[in-house]
Amino acid sequence: MKILDMPCTKGFMQLAQDGVDKGWHEMNGGNLSYRLTKDEAANVKKVLKKASGDWTDICESVPKLAGEFFMVTRTTGYMRNVMRNPENAFGIVEIDKTGTKYRTWWGLSNGGRPTSEFPSHLKNHEVKLETTGGEHRVIYHAHPVNLIALTFVLPPTDKAFTRALWEIMTECPVIFPEGVGVVPWMVPGKGPIATATSKLMRDYNIVVWVHHGLFVSGKDFDRCFGLMETVEKAAEIRIRAQSSGAMKKSAIQVRQLRQIAKDFGFTLNEKFL
Ligand code: 13P
Ligand code: ZN
């Protein structure tokens, strides 16, 4: 099957476009990666026969991802071009046996490289491969405006963000009962922020980058879009409610959060109650 006809390629492009339509991707802001299944990787090898690029350093070590194939957006590329000019805006790369290098098989034309946040994406994938038994395949990073605004309002702690989101929209505790993690402001695109993010991804599927944006992890493109949209919507409600000046300190009460968890049959992360 041609690369552009693969369902995962279509899903990848659709998520990028949906994020653009939401206004989450100014300039080259945000990036996306997807870990291919064995069958998808086999199809890539069969169709293309050989890699198009040489082994290049990832500048990070992800030994558990040795031999995996990833679809990933291009650094400095615009998400709005993923649908319009796929072979330029993203690509398919293979990780080497040591987990320290990648080579391109498809796309990233004219010498393109994976996103500068590739170390963060890969370290998150490595953690999720372990903690979800390989169920999670998608890591998505965007710059949603209200969530970023909230990072100027709340202290940079897991508890402050989890409670602010849980108690402002009833669906939030249902969708992310484990809560959200928060990385304080750090220089993006480097090893330390990748390590800090992936550490939080052990406990959460949603990680806030203060004054920058959001990372989410999920089993498929729909799930990641849904998480991004839910957090951004809750952040928008919070910002609007707080700007009205009349917002009470707390919206949905702890006893009500417990009631939702009981009735819906899930467990809320107790450390945030
Ligand atoms: P890239 O263009 O390298 O993907 O960077 C965009 C971004 O959002 C950095 O955090
Ligand atoms: Zn970013």
Side-chain angles (χ1 to χ4, degrees), residues 20 35 39 43 52 57 69 78 122 149 157 204 231 242:
V20 169
R35 185 171 55 82
D39 286 352
N43 180 63
S52 59
D57 269 337
F69 277 65
Y78 288 23
L122 290 178
T157 66
Y204 310 111
V231 170
Q242 284 193 208

Side-chain angles (χ1 to χ4, degrees), residues 28-31 74-77 115-117 141 143 188 209 212:
N28 60 310
N31 25 72
R74 177 191 191 111
T75 185
T76 71
T115 170
S116 58
E117 307 297 1
H141 168 57
H143 297 171
W209 277 10
H212 183 142

